[in-house]
Amino acid sequence: MENIRLIENFLDNNLEGEKLIAFQKKLENNNDFKDLVELHKDINTSILDDDVYSFRIQLTELIQQNNTNRRLIHFLIPVAALIIGGLALLHFYGETNFNDVFSTYYEPYEADLIIRSAENNLRNLNNTYLLYEKGEYQEAFDKLQEYSMKEPGNSKTAFFLGLSAIELGKYQIAEESFISIIEGAGKSSYKVHAQWYLSLLYLKQNLPEKAKPYLLNLSHEYYYAQKAKKILKKID
Amino acid sequence: MKVKRNYTDDELIAGIKSKNNQIVSQVIKDNIKKINQLVLLNNGSESDAQDLFQETMIILYRKIQEKDFNLTCSVGTYIYSIAKLLWLKELSKRSKGKLVDENVDFVIDNNAEIQETIQKNERLKLFREKYEELSDDCKKVLHMFLMEVPLKEITQIMGYSSEQHTRNRRYRCKEALIKKIINSKTYKELGYGKYQVN
């Protein structure tokens, strides 16, 4: 694992001074080592290749649809004509209930917890997230409000506070929590999740136009791209 | 009711670039039959045809993202040329002989740049497949490090006991990924060389 540590530090630009010089010399003089570093680089590129990966998933779905459509067309043309006519009327007279869209797509967030912390504070915080996971939303909400006042910039606390607030119908608090994460400084993996749940929150309140910009952003994000695009179709 | 329209090549390229569902669906509809034929007439199965079509679209998507991408033929012709190059490569691996349709000219004068994208795609595809086989925790840790999420935050998000533990977890996950890759059948064809993970 020593090589891996060294190479990752190099690729992260964390090698300095003599260690960096020694590394660069090894790169120049050892072709096998050079290839190994290239391998690491390419692996890292593939991990961040979310854009192509999500396109791959999209293609699989669309190709499947195309194949299904081709088979259906041969057998269902008269029925399809009736269905299309009916759908056109429904589209003309009907209205999308975005609360239904919320119900279709909303799922409680699966907390990713490993309770190993020796520190009291972190253990207490993890226990609070567990409360959310167990469905004890009021207790989780109360404790998370306390924590968020003590540590205002903590994205994870704000995120779970927002989630608990949704479950309790406290939509304004939920909205404020998610927005604080989205507009907060620095990178946080919760920004993406906050945008998703904020979008759903707006849909719950039948405010699709407020959800739209976040969904448009999410349609380019790895985790939520497919779902965001489906919802955008309903909004458009 | 939506009206079918013929998209210009520029519209198709822009639509593929932005992963527009409607346009991508149209491109699939317009091109899949011809590529299926290419494969089925040349020692391939239906499943080969489906795989080939998907890889063709991926290569196209990668090319379109390049800064200096410049289409000098129709989108359909470009797609078919990519498919043909891919299938030729596959056939040479399987050593089943020449293509029936070999009289069709390559419209792209220099297909070296497409070959380069094909090779790059092959590597990234294999590495990504193996990455997806890792545990969710490993995927999250590796992804967050590469997204430059601060170490302190990764430690908090993952609930680890210390930042050193987080670093070690990262190296172990990377080690597991590399082992999966170098033990795979496809890896040797990629020409990186022989490695021991240490």
Side-chain angles (χ1 to χ4, degrees):
Chain A
M1 201 157 82
E2 197 42 49
N3 248 351
I4 293 176
R5 193 188 298 268
L6 193 60
I7 293 172
E8 292 300 319
N9 275 330
F10 172 72
L11 294 175
D12 290 345
N13 295 316
N14 285 338
L15 281 188
E16 288 173 339
E18 280 179 19
K19 282 189 180 170
L20 178 59
I21 294 170
F23 191 95
Q24 282 166 337
K25 248 189 181 166
K26 197 173 178 185
L27 267 182
E28 281 167 36
N29 299 325
N30 186 331
N31 282 332
D32 281 350
F33 186 70
K34 189 178 174 192
D35 286 346
L36 180 60
V37 174
E38 281 306 307
L39 173 64
H40 272 263
K41 243 194 234 175
D42 286 349
I43 291 173
N44 289 351
T45 302
S46 74
I47 292 170
L48 292 177
D49 205 22
D50 297 335
D51 188 39
V52 169
Y53 185 73
S54 71
F55 186 54
R56 203 178 270 287
I57 294 170
Q58 182 185 1
L59 277 174
T60 305
E61 209 175 281
L62 291 176
I63 291 169
Q64 200 89 325
Q65 270 176 29
N66 180 73
N67 292 342
T68 306
N69 290 345
R70 273 173 47 224
R71 285 193 278 273
L72 272 176
I73 270 168
H74 292 302
F75 298 104
L76 294 176
I77 289 174
V79 176
L82 280 171
I83 290 171
I84 288 165
L87 282 173
L89 279 172
L90 191 67
H91 177 75
F92 189 73
Y93 290 111
E95 256 181 45
T96 305
N97 184 341
F98 290 102
N99 202 4
D100 288 345
V101 176
F102 171 86
S103 304
T104 305
Y105 287 94
Y106 178 78
E107 281 171 351
Y109 180 77
E110 276 183 31
D112 36 25
L113 298 171
I114 300 170
I115 317 241
R116 289 191 205 149
S117 172
E119 291 177 36
N120 238 1
N121 282 346
L122 210 49
R123 197 168 46 233
N124 288 340
L125 202 50
N126 277 340
N127 286 341
T128 307
Y129 301 142
L130 267 180
L131 286 170
Y132 168 80
E133 208 174 43
K134 285 183 198 170
E136 292 172 36
Y137 301 123
Q138 187 61 59
E139 204 181 334
F141 177 83
D142 293 338
K143 290 196 170 156
L144 286 162
Q145 267 203 317
E146 274 177 45
Y147 283 122
S148 75
M149 279 179 350
K150 285 180 201 167
E151 215 185 327
N154 188 320
S155 304
K156 188 171 182 177
T157 304
F159 181 62
F160 279 92
L161 178 62
L163 293 174
S164 304
I166 289 182
E167 296 290 344
L168 296 170
K170 297 179 195 283
Y171 297 146
Q172 193 170 342
I173 295 178
E175 184 181 354
E176 283 165 9
S177 299
F178 293 140
I179 288 175
S180 74
I181 302 165
I182 294 164
E183 293 179 0
K187 289 185 187 196
S188 166
S189 61
Y190 286 106
K191 285 191 183 203
V192 169
H193 301 303
Q195 286 182 64
W196 172 245
Y197 281 95
L198 183 61
S199 307
L200 291 181
L201 180 62
Y202 286 138
L203 291 172
K204 172 86 177 153
Q205 299 171 86
N206 262 315
L207 300 168
E209 288 309 309
K210 281 184 112 173
K212 198 169 169 182
Y214 298 106
L215 290 167
L216 280 168
N217 202 36
L218 288 167
S219 67
H220 301 291
E221 289 284 345
Y222 168 46
Y223 290 112
Y224 297 109
Q226 292 306 306
K227 290 181 190 176
K229 284 173 186 173
K230 284 182 182 171
I231 297 176
L232 280 165
K233 266 194 202 173
K234 292 182 195 284
I235 293 175
D236 291 334
Chain B
M1 195 184 293
K2 285 180 185 168
V3 176
K4 189 185 169 188
R5 51 175 289 203
N6 292 320
Y7 295 103
T8 64
D9 279 344
D10 283 344
E11 283 171 333
L12 290 175
I13 295 298
I16 294 165
K17 191 171 186 179
S18 64
K19 297 194 254 184
N20 178 298
N21 253 1
Q22 198 173 321
I23 289 181
V24 174
S25 294
Q26 192 63 45
V27 172
I28 292 170
K29 196 175 164 193
D30 292 343
N31 293 279
I32 197 166
K33 195 174 172 186
K34 196 173 176 189
I35 290 169
N36 280 353
Q37 263 176 347
L38 169 72
V39 173
L40 295 171
L41 288 173
N42 292 283
N43 302 308
S45 64
E46 273 196 31
S47 140
D48 288 334
Q50 189 151 319
D51 289 346
L52 184 85
F53 186 77
Q54 192 180 79
E55 287 319 301
T56 301
M57 291 297 292
I58 295 289
I59 302 293
L60 174 64
Y61 181 75
R62 288 197 190 276
K63 290 303 296 177
I64 288 171
Q65 304 302 327
E66 289 171 11
K67 279 182 199 166
D68 53 358
F69 177 72
N70 180 31
L71 195 65
T72 53
C73 59
S74 73
V75 170
T77 305
Y78 195 78
I79 288 174
Y80 191 67
S81 301
I82 296 172
K84 198 171 169 188
L85 278 168
L86 277 170
W87 193 237
L88 267 168
K89 195 172 167 105
E90 181 60 26
L91 286 180
S92 70
K93 271 191 215 169
R94 299 182 190 184
S95 302
K96 294 253 175 161
K98 292 183 180 180
L99 288 180
V100 169
D101 196 18
E102 61 183 310
N103 290 330
V104 172
D105 295 323
F106 281 110
V107 173
I108 300 140
D109 295 318
N110 176 13
N111 62 44
E113 32 108 23
I114 295 188
Q115 293 280 16
E116 204 181 301
T117 307
I118 289 174
Q119 275 162 23
K120 175 183 167 184
N121 184 60
E122 234 179 349
R123 293 195 297 271
L124 294 179
K125 185 185 173 193
L126 169 67
F127 298 163
R128 186 63 190 229
E129 271 171 10
K130 295 304 167 190
Y131 166 76
E132 292 297 331
E133 287 174 14
L134 294 174
S135 68
D136 283 347
D137 273 8
C138 265
K139 284 191 282 190
K140 277 181 190 168
V141 167
L142 289 175
H143 199 267
M144 283 194 282
F145 265 102
L146 290 173
M147 290 292 286
E148 296 178 29
V149 175
L151 179 61
K152 185 180 177 183
E153 194 165 334
I154 299 175
T155 306
Q156 212 174 7
I157 289 168
M158 299 307 296
Y160 293 153
S161 55
S162 68
E163 289 180 10
Q164 189 53 50
H165 179 93
T166 306
R167 277 197 208 96
N168 289 344
R169 187 83 172 117
R170 176 204 189 177
Y171 301 137
R172 280 200 297 272
C173 288
K174 189 77 185 277
E175 185 179 43
L177 176 55
I178 292 174
K179 275 183 179 163
K180 277 183 183 285
I181 289 169
I182 62 177
N183 288 334
S184 71
K185 283 183 206 168
T186 329
Y187 172 73
K188 281 166 193 149
E189 296 161 14
L190 299 179
Y192 278 100
K194 292 177 186 174
Y195 300 111
Q196 304 241 320
V197 180
N198 56 25

